Amino acid sequence: MKRRDFIKCGFGGAGLAVGSGLASGADNSASPSGKSVYGHPWWVKMIPRPKLAVDDHVYSRFKASNNVFGSFSRYYGMENRKKLMQESRDKTIKYYLEKRPGYRLEDRALADAAWVISRLGGLNRGTRAWTSKSVRTPEQRGVENYKGNPEEAAQLIKAAARYFGAATVGITMLDRRHINSQEREKEIVFEPAGEPYEDEEKLVIPDKCTYAIALSVQMSLDNLQCSPTAISSAGSSMGYSRCEFLVAGLAQFIRGLGYVAIPSVNDLGSSVAIGVDAGLGELGRTNRLITPEFGPYVRICKVLTDLPLATDKPIDFGLLEFCKVCKRCAEACPSNCLSFDDYPSFQVKGEWNNPGHLAWFEDSPKCLAYWQESTSGCSICIPVCPWAKKDKTMIHEIVKATSAKIPALDMFFNTMDEAFGYGRQKSADKWWSLNLPEYGIDTTQGKG
Ligand code: SF4
Ligand code: SF4
């Protein structure tokens, strides 16, 4: 079935009617002031708290050493790990010699090169340092700190974030439970300090850092659709490098206004949990953030600050209901690590999951083992998601809007999406001759 046949069959028209009929009742303001130009599309609803419940008796700060990336041997077994790594190396050579598309020298070189900026930072290191000597503070300029009201400050932050490469931006009061309890074998603590600092035993976040700015960065769907190859891996690593530039630039901007800023990518705490609180998206079946604008093809990062900011609300765009019937990511996952359950639950799959909240928890060691097996990581679950669309054409907007408002049609939309062939794997060979936009992404998207 072609897209135009779908529109002709009358459903697109019905969607339009549904869309326009509901538009007047939508709350699409991104900030309490309702003046922000960085809001979501009209069909995204603001809600007082995230849809997936948190058990306050259980949910607490996560020990980063339980993360599967740092403890793969522990979860998978040292011998298994060694065997997998060796097999991965052997396969890498074999694929080179076969000149297999997506695994040739140029493909691998691209993926490695795309990491280059990301490798400049780490928890309180390099581009992610918690303080900076190179910033010109208001004091050095002989003026007072920035004094705008929280709404004005939020607008400044959102404009600056977009300028440094954010696709979407949300602001929330920081829930300290989203911050890791320890990392790099040091405690992460909150203290009544003037500036963040690190000593031999601990990393100190000042108590006054009560705001978190959540940021999404687009990844190239043209790259991710080539998963699992080095070309798709380059899409991921470019996302991380752009996050690095974004949080470094935004943190420096905030310091230049006279306030504390702690930049972070995957370190320090859960960007996903902060992103959900700040209204960037909802938690999907992949146990990752899905945004209404870009679906799952985003990387998430954050900056903590003491600059008083107007906050945003969590959002509901119908994803929870959609995920209950969709399951495309779980079906496509080669390692079988994603849940097929109809409903999210509190039951974690292992210590790599932080318990105490509803989610579709994933079996992460299986995922990571597949990354080794493929020799180039994996992101198959991203482009198959029906919310991952790189073009913002009218039909996609109508379908998203209708799905957000009428969950009974979710199964129909999912079936149509599959019938149109969206999310199908593309040849890595052809990627090199695409007429790519800057960074491989369309930066005109996500205007809300
Ligand atoms: S990255 Fe690959 S292996 Fe991991 S959950 Fe997604 S599809 Fe499965
Ligand atoms: S593929 Fe389907 S089930 Fe998976 S996250 Fe996307 S909408 Fe949810």
Side-chain angles (χ1 to χ4, degrees):
M1 188 179 198
K2 289 197 174 122
R3 228 163 54 151
R4 64 172 176 274
D5 300 328
F6 171 63
I7 299 168
K8 271 190 198 158
C9 83
F11 204 84
L16 256 180
V18 168
S20 55
L22 292 173
S24 56
D27 171 8
N28 66 345
S29 58
S31 74
S33 69
K35 287 179 189 157
S36 174
V37 294
Y38 298 106
H40 290 292
W42 66 266
W43 39 268
V44 176
K45 201 165 66 179
M46 309 290 146
I47 52 176
R49 64 192 65 82
K51 283 187 88 177
L52 291 172
V54 171
D55 181 346
D56 290 324
H57 299 294
V58 178
Y59 186 61
S60 60
R61 295 174 62 191
F62 185 63
K63 212 172 159 187
S65 56
N66 284 350
N67 186 308
V68 75
F69 290 97
S71 310
F72 190 46
S73 308
R74 177 170 127 212
Y75 294 131
Y76 205 71
M78 185 58 95
E79 283 313 304
N80 279 335
R81 182 175 185 273
K82 274 192 199 157
K83 191 164 162 272
L84 261 178
M85 303 283 276
Q86 189 53 52
E87 284 171 358
S88 186
R89 278 191 288 270
D90 294 346
K91 260 196 214 169
T92 300
I93 307 271
K94 179 172 177 283
Y95 293 171
Y96 274 137
L97 296 174
E98 290 173 358
K99 296 190 175 15
R100 194 181 282 210
Y103 302 90
R104 296 163 302 190
L105 181 61
E106 58 269 42
D107 304 318
R108 301 276 188 189
L110 183 81
D112 278 355
W115 278 113
V116 69
I117 306 298
S118 176
R119 290 197 172 115
L120 300 176
L123 177 72
N124 194 20
R125 295 277 187 269
T127 35
R128 266 176 268 164
W130 288 9
T131 53
S132 167
K133 289 193 174 69
S134 66
V135 71
R136 288 197 73 196
T137 61
E139 192 183 358
Q140 286 166 339
R141 293 180 195 273
V143 298
E144 285 191 334
N145 287 355
Y146 172 77
K147 289 281 186 286
N149 68 39
E151 280 76 19
E152 290 163 348
Q155 178 65 27
L156 281 194
I157 290 299
K158 289 177 180 181
R162 285 294 280 268
Y163 184 66
F164 287 114
T168 53
V169 195
I171 298 168
T172 181
M173 298 305 295
L174 175 65
D175 183 338
R176 291 186 181 183
R177 297 174 301 177
H178 299 334
I179 300 298
N180 295 333
S181 59
Q182 62 82 249
E183 207 163 332
R184 284 207 267 104
E185 297 180 354
K186 290 185 181 182
E187 298 286 303
I188 301 176
V189 299
F190 287 84
E191 283 181 3
E195 289 282 320
Y197 70 92
E198 177 175 357
D199 63 20
E200 293 298 305
E201 287 154 12
K202 62 190 180 190
L203 288 134
V204 176
I205 301 173
D207 281 334
K208 63 183 180 178
C209 282
T210 53
Y211 297 90
I213 305 157
L215 307 143
S216 79
V217 162
Q218 271 193 83
M219 292 188 285
S220 166
L221 207 50
D222 284 314
N223 285 67
L224 299 187
Q225 281 173 329
C226 300
S227 186
T229 64
I231 291 292
S232 88
S233 178
S236 217
S237 38
M238 177 64 100
Y240 279 120
S241 279
R242 292 186 57 237
C243 279
E244 199 69 48
F245 177 74
L246 166 60
V247 295
L250 189 61
Q252 199 73 338
F253 171 66
I254 294 170
R255 291 172 193 137
L257 299 177
Y259 294 84
V260 166
I262 299 180
S264 157
V265 184
N266 279 358
D267 55 311
L268 185 62
S270 171
S271 301
V272 171
I274 290 172
V276 168
D277 284 358
L280 282 195
E282 289 187 59
L283 200 62
R285 180 175 290 279
T286 46
N287 200 14
R288 295 288 177 268
L289 191 92
I290 313 284
T291 66
E293 293 86 358
F294 307 101
Y297 71 96
V298 286
R299 289 277 159 220
I300 315 292
C301 48
K302 68 265 185 197
V303 175
L304 311 186
T305 184
D306 60 340
L307 171 65
L309 295 167
T311 54
D312 298 296
K313 290 178 186 161
I315 58 170
D316 172 7
F317 59 99
L319 183 79
L320 179 60
E321 298 308 315
F322 198 99
C323 284
K324 284 178 190 170
V325 296
C326 170
K327 303 184 183 176
R328 291 262 297 276
C329 49
E331 285 158 4
C333 173
S335 74
N336 201 27
C337 79
L338 297 177
S339 170
F340 279 90
D341 293 347
D342 288 338
Y343 298 96
S345 88
F346 284 102
Q347 189 61 52
V348 295
K349 291 275 168 45
E351 284 182 26
W352 52 85
N353 295 136
N354 194 11
H357 63 99
L358 276 176
W360 280 286
F361 288 105
E362 76 287 13
D363 198 340
S364 298
K366 281 187 185 170
C367 170
L368 206 53
Y370 181 74
W371 288 18
Q372 298 297 332
E373 197 186 320
S374 78
T375 76
S376 60
C378 174
S379 46
I380 290 172
C381 49
I382 295 176
V384 296
C385 179
W387 292 88
K389 295 282 174 290
K390 72 174 177 178
D391 57 341
K392 232 183 166 188
T393 50
M394 179 63 93
I395 184 65
H396 292 315
E397 289 305 290
I398 292 168
V399 169
K400 283 179 174 181
T402 311
S403 176
K405 300 294 178 188
I406 310 178
L409 297 172
D410 289 348
M411 180 63 94
F412 174 77
F413 286 141
N414 183 33
T415 310
M416 286 296 105
D417 194 88
E418 236 177 329
F420 291 145
Y422 289 123
R424 269 186 211 143
Q425 197 184 31
K426 290 192 176 164
S427 161
D429 211 14
K430 298 211 172 100
W431 183 87
W432 290 97
S433 49
L434 292 176
N435 183 10
L436 288 165
E438 291 156 57
Y439 302 114
I441 58 170
D442 184 348
T443 50
T444 64
Q445 305 293 306
K447 289 287 192 291

